[in-house]
Amino acid sequence: MTQNGTMVPLFILAFMILLGNNPLTAQDQVYRTFKDSRVVNIHSPETLPKGRLDVRISHRFGDIGGDNGGFATFYGLETASDVGIGGEYGVTDGLTVGLYRSKGAGVSVEGFPGLRQLLNGIGKLRLTKQEENGGAPLSATIMGMISLSTQEKLEGAGNEASIASFPNFNHRMASHVQLILARKFSDGFSLQVSPGYTHRNLVPFEDKNGMFSISTGGRVQVTRTFGLLADAVFPLIDSRKSGTGYFPAIGLGFEFETSGHIFQVNLTNATALMETDFIPYTTTDWTEGQFRLGFTISRWFNL
């Protein structure tokens, strides 16, 4: 195992709260670059309106094909790689905070599981919003999250190499921060690019604690209530290059919007739901049939 006590500072979320009380005052702002706070796997630039609660349930099934898929598992529908449930709240129009419970699903190429039984705290701060008529050309949002494993500590001989040995309490934690830059080019097309940094306080063997990544996502509005989605995340580290057994997390999906609901169905090779999990631990390959069906149900409430 590799240990490192340094992580993305915990004051990121507090910093967001301090700045989140500054209202956006620009004129002719572009409305809803994306319809939801997520693309497929990654966050979109969207924050919730003040006083709005978004309750979300997400699910990732097992491999459709490959050695672990096929008819034996009914193409993955009889297994679940990850499940998440939680909610987000609009503190202000520009600041959203959230809390989720997820199962955790990441596995290293050596077969060592990542963190499991996760509590995930999320904060999103809108920095700028795209404007029309010569105003700001992009929307910019900073997103930060911290994951804490609540799984039982493994002790005794033979468990020293496991992430779940947790020599110190902070080894239960991982964090991620990213800047989301997005533009709505027309009523039918939106695109975003997001540089990010992920830090795990405890990693297996010679792996690195921290890694930069770049992600991109897009949305095509087909009808008033139906849209097509795609995203991809590329870790920028030698140990995650092609041929290492790790793969970019790539997702394709479509979403339906109804009054108060957004329902998304997707296909992705990412087994996990949270950035601290799927960015460092995606070891499944689209070309081998190692992708899965997933869905997310989002329901908004006014508080």
Side-chain angles (χ1 to χ4, degrees):
M1 294 178 297
T2 301
Q3 303 179 28
N4 189 326
T6 304
M7 64 181 294
V8 175
L10 297 178
F11 60 73
I12 289 175
L13 299 184
F15 173 76
M16 292 178 177
I17 292 173
L18 290 174
L19 293 184
N21 292 320
N22 296 327
L24 297 166
T25 58
Q27 301 298 314
D28 300 321
Q29 293 176 345
V30 171
Y31 177 67
R32 296 185 78 178
T33 304
F34 286 78
K35 289 290 184 76
D36 191 23
S37 61
R38 308 296 195 277
V39 186
V40 179
N41 292 310
I42 64 176
H43 278 258
S44 79
E46 301 304 321
T47 54
L48 291 171
K50 181 179 179 180
R52 193 69 57 86
L53 174 67
D54 181 13
V55 177
R56 304 177 67 87
I57 300 172
S58 298
H59 193 103
R60 296 289 186 267
F61 290 97
D63 290 359
I64 289 178
D67 294 338
N68 298 316
F71 187 74
T73 63
F74 203 58
Y75 305 97
L77 296 181
E78 294 179 351
T79 59
S81 64
D82 204 0
V83 180
I85 184 169
E88 299 175 8
Y89 179 72
V91 180
T92 71
D93 287 344
L95 174 67
T96 294
V97 296
L99 182 65
Y100 289 88
R101 172 74 174 197
S102 62
K103 176 182 173 182
V107 178
S108 72
V109 293
E110 296 86 6
F112 293 104
L115 298 177
R116 295 291 188 263
Q117 300 173 12
L118 300 174
L119 289 176
N120 307 279
I122 294 173
K124 293 177 75 173
L125 176 66
R126 174 87 74 168
L127 302 177
T128 63
K129 200 166 186 179
Q130 182 182 340
E131 299 168 9
E132 298 175 345
N133 304 319
L138 299 173
S139 292
T141 299
I142 187 170
M143 188 279 285
M145 68 171 297
I146 297 172
S147 298
L148 170 67
S149 172
T150 63
Q151 72 184 106
E152 184 177 354
K153 179 178 179 177
L154 297 179
E155 299 180 295
N159 291 313
E160 296 85 359
S162 172
I163 291 290
S165 62
F166 301 133
N168 299 312
F169 179 80
N170 72 330
H171 293 150
R172 291 178 174 271
M173 303 176 72
S175 58
H176 175 77
V177 63
Q178 69 183 68
L179 176 65
I180 306 169
L181 303 173
R183 179 172 175 82
K184 189 174 185 178
F185 289 90
S186 68
D187 290 340
F189 179 63
S190 298
L191 185 67
Q192 71 174 57
V193 176
S194 306
Y197 177 78
T198 307
H199 192 99
R200 298 166 293 158
N201 283 4
L202 188 64
V203 297
F205 295 112
E206 300 301 322
D207 204 355
K208 299 293 185 181
N209 294 87
M211 64 178 67
F212 290 96
S213 62
I214 188 76
S215 62
T216 185
R219 186 181 194 280
V220 175
Q221 187 76 23
V222 179
T223 69
R224 185 175 63 86
T225 60
F226 177 76
L228 299 176
L229 305 160
D231 64 19
V233 184
F234 303 91
L236 303 178
I237 186 172
D238 288 344
S239 62
R240 298 301 189 272
K241 288 183 177 180
S242 177
T244 61
Y246 291 98
F247 299 90
I250 299 174
L252 304 173
F254 59 86
E255 65 184 11
F256 294 99
E257 181 184 22
T258 62
S259 178
H261 283 80
I262 294 179
F263 180 66
Q264 182 192 111
V265 178
N266 55 62
L267 294 172
T268 177
N269 66 319
T271 57
L273 288 164
M274 297 296 166
E275 280 83 353
T276 49
D277 204 3
F278 71 75
I279 291 178
Y281 289 122
T282 295
T283 58
T284 43
D285 183 4
W286 266 90
T287 65
E288 297 294 330
Q290 297 168 345
F291 57 91
R292 70 215 68 262
L293 180 68
F295 68 83
T296 296
I297 300 173
S298 167
R299 180 67 170 93
W300 285 16
F301 298 91
N302 291 314
L303 297 184

